[in-house]
Amino acid sequence: MTTNFLYQLNQHFPHSYAITLSAAKFELGLLSQVSETLASLHPAIRLLHQDTLVNELDWQANDTLAQAEQTSPVTTIRWIVTLESDSDINDLPQRIKQIATNNLYHVDINVMPLATLVRPHKLALFDMDSTLIEQEVIVELAKKAGIGEQVDTITESAMRGEIDFAESFTRRVTLLKGLSSEVLEDIIANHITFSPGAKRLISALKNHGYYVVLVSGGFNYFAEYVKNSLGMDESYANDLDIVDNLVTGEITSAIVDGKRKAEILQAVAQRLGIKLSETVAVGDGANDLPMLGLADIGIAYRAKPIVRDQANYAVTVAGLDGVMTVLGLGD
C-alpha cells in the first residue's frame, strides 16, 4: 500500500488508526482472538483495509545473511480501522495495549493514529546497548575486569529505573579502575553482536531520507564503531578516561543520561530544521524514556517492563527491523 493511498484514507476517514500485529505464526485461531479482543473494546470499530507487511517468504534468505541484515521470522499484518468520532476512539491505543500485555504477550500490537503514520518523519535516534547491539558494553568491560556480577547488578537496577542512571554509571566506572585499554579492541572483535535486523533497519531509514543518530549511555569508543558499521550519521556517548593505557575509573565529562538524550534529540532536530513531530526514538532502558516521550514516535525495543508500559509503541517479538513495520517502511 502506497503512502499516497494511506494519505487519502486519512483524508476521508480522519478518526482512523493503523494497527500492526507481528507474531511468529498467525494461525486463524490467533487472528480470531485478536479480532474478538478488538470487538470487545468497541463493537463499532470498522476495518477499512488490511495488508501483510512481512510474510514467511521475506525471511527465506536469512541463512545467507549476517544477523544484522536479516528479516525477523515473524508475520506482520496491518489493519487500518476507524470509528465515527474521535471521542469514540481516542483511548483505543491504551486499552488495546493493556489487553495485549495481559493476554496477547506473544504478539507485538501497535496502534498508531493514521495521521501520525502518514506524517513525514526525518530524524531517528537510537540507544546503543541492548538496542543496536545485544550487549551492555559496560558489563562486557566488567567481565574483563573480573567484576561482572557487581556491575551487572547495578546495570539491571538502573535499567529498571530503581536507581538514578548518573549514580549507577559513576559507581560502575569506578569499579573499572586499573583495567587495561587493550581489552576494548578485544570486546569489539569478539564480544559485540548486532541486534537482529539492525543493519537492515538503518539502511531502510537512510533510503527513506532519515538522519540517524546514536545516543548512548555507554562509551564513545564503542559508539563510533557501531555508528560506522551501521552507516549512521552521528553518535553521542561518554568518554572512558584512560591514562597510561589504564582506565582511571574517573568521569571527566558530562554523563549522557536520560535528560541528556532528550536534549540531544531536541538540539539535533533544531540544528537540522526538523520539527519534533517529525522525530523517532528507539531504546530499551529507563534512561531512554525522556527521549521516547519527546519524540513523535517513541518505540521501546525488547525493553524493561517500566519502559514498555510508558512508551507508546513497542517491539518485542520481532527483531530491530520490527521498527520498520511500526513506521510503515519497506526496504
Side-chain angles (χ1 to χ4, degrees):
M1 194 186 339
T2 66
T3 301
N4 185 53
F5 179 76
L6 291 175
Y7 180 81
Q8 292 181 43
L9 272 183
N10 185 58
Q11 294 299 304
H12 285 88
F13 302 96
H15 309 299
S16 301
Y17 282 85
I19 302 177
T20 55
L21 311 123
S22 296
K25 291 182 180 179
F26 264 116
E27 294 155 336
L28 291 179
L30 178 56
L31 280 174
S32 175
Q33 182 184 1
V34 175
S35 298
E36 289 174 4
T37 297
L38 294 176
S40 70
L41 290 174
H42 205 299
I45 194 168
R46 184 154 55 107
L47 179 65
L48 295 176
H49 194 93
Q50 173 181 309
D51 57 344
T52 301
L53 302 181
V54 182
N55 61 57
E56 293 198 27
L57 290 178
D58 292 324
W59 66 81
Q60 293 302 307
N62 278 356
D63 289 345
T64 65
L65 299 173
Q67 178 169 282
E69 298 172 333
Q70 293 179 0
T71 299
S72 293
V74 299
T75 295
T76 300
I77 297 169
R78 179 170 59 191
W79 291 336
I80 308 298
V81 303
T82 191
L83 284 180
E84 290 304 318
S85 69
D86 198 36
S87 61
D88 292 329
I89 202 170
N90 57 11
D91 64 343
L92 187 65
Q94 190 58 36
R95 292 173 68 189
I96 291 178
K97 183 177 177 180
Q98 289 172 348
I99 289 179
T101 300
N102 295 331
N103 303 317
L104 297 168
Y105 56 88
H106 57 306
V107 183
D108 283 341
I109 301 181
N110 288 288
V111 186
M112 181 182 293
L114 188 54
T116 300
L117 183 64
V118 300
R119 179 166 55 243
H121 291 82
K122 303 175 183 177
L123 172 64
L125 269 69
F126 287 85
D127 174 49
M128 180 177 71
D129 295 353
S130 297
T131 301
L132 291 171
I133 62 174
E134 296 183 306
Q135 294 73 30
E136 292 286 332
V137 166
I138 199 166
V139 172
E140 297 302 314
L141 288 167
K143 290 176 183 177
K144 295 292 185 181
I147 52 169
E149 290 186 8
Q150 293 170 264
V151 168
D152 196 27
T153 298
I154 298 171
T155 299
E156 287 298 315
S157 183
M159 298 304 284
R160 291 191 300 266
E162 296 170 352
I163 58 176
D164 176 76
F165 179 82
E167 176 191 346
S168 71
F169 184 78
T170 301
R171 287 166 56 185
R172 288 177 293 175
V173 171
T174 299
L175 291 171
L176 296 176
K177 182 178 180 179
L179 181 67
S180 171
S181 61
E182 294 178 0
V183 304
L184 276 64
E185 186 58 40
D186 177 66
I187 289 173
I188 283 180
N190 301 304
H191 301 281
I192 296 295
T193 54
F194 291 98
S195 294
K199 178 71 172 178
R200 180 168 174 255
L201 168 61
I202 301 303
S203 296
L205 290 171
K206 296 299 295 179
N207 288 339
H208 284 81
Y210 277 75
Y211 194 83
V212 187
V213 179
L214 184 158
V215 283
S216 175
F219 301 107
N220 278 315
Y221 185 87
F222 302 97
E224 279 293 304
Y225 164 74
V226 171
K227 180 201 76 173
N228 292 335
S229 297
L230 295 179
M232 303 175 76
D233 295 293
E234 293 184 47
S235 66
Y236 298 83
N238 299 292
D239 293 326
L240 185 60
D241 194 51
I242 295 173
V243 175
D244 295 331
N245 295 322
L246 296 176
V247 175
T248 67
E250 298 178 0
I251 297 172
T252 57
S253 59
I255 296 172
V256 179
D257 57 6
K259 180 174 179 290
R260 179 62 182 142
K261 288 186 177 186
E263 290 172 349
I264 292 169
L265 170 60
Q266 198 156 23
V268 174
Q270 185 174 14
R271 189 183 82 227
L272 298 176
I274 294 172
K275 301 174 184 177
L276 287 177
S277 61
E278 300 171 325
T279 63
V280 176
V282 182
D284 75 298
N287 63 316
D288 295 312
L289 282 171
M291 74 172 182
L292 297 185
L294 184 62
D296 186 49
I297 300 176
I299 303 172
Y301 173 67
R302 296 188 177 179
K304 311 300 182 289
I306 186 175
V307 183
R308 289 199 306 271
D309 290 344
Q310 294 187 42
N312 288 330
Y313 310 102
V315 172
T316 302
V317 175
L320 198 58
D321 59 310
V323 169
M324 293 167 59
T325 58
V326 177
L327 299 177
L329 301 179
D331 287 318

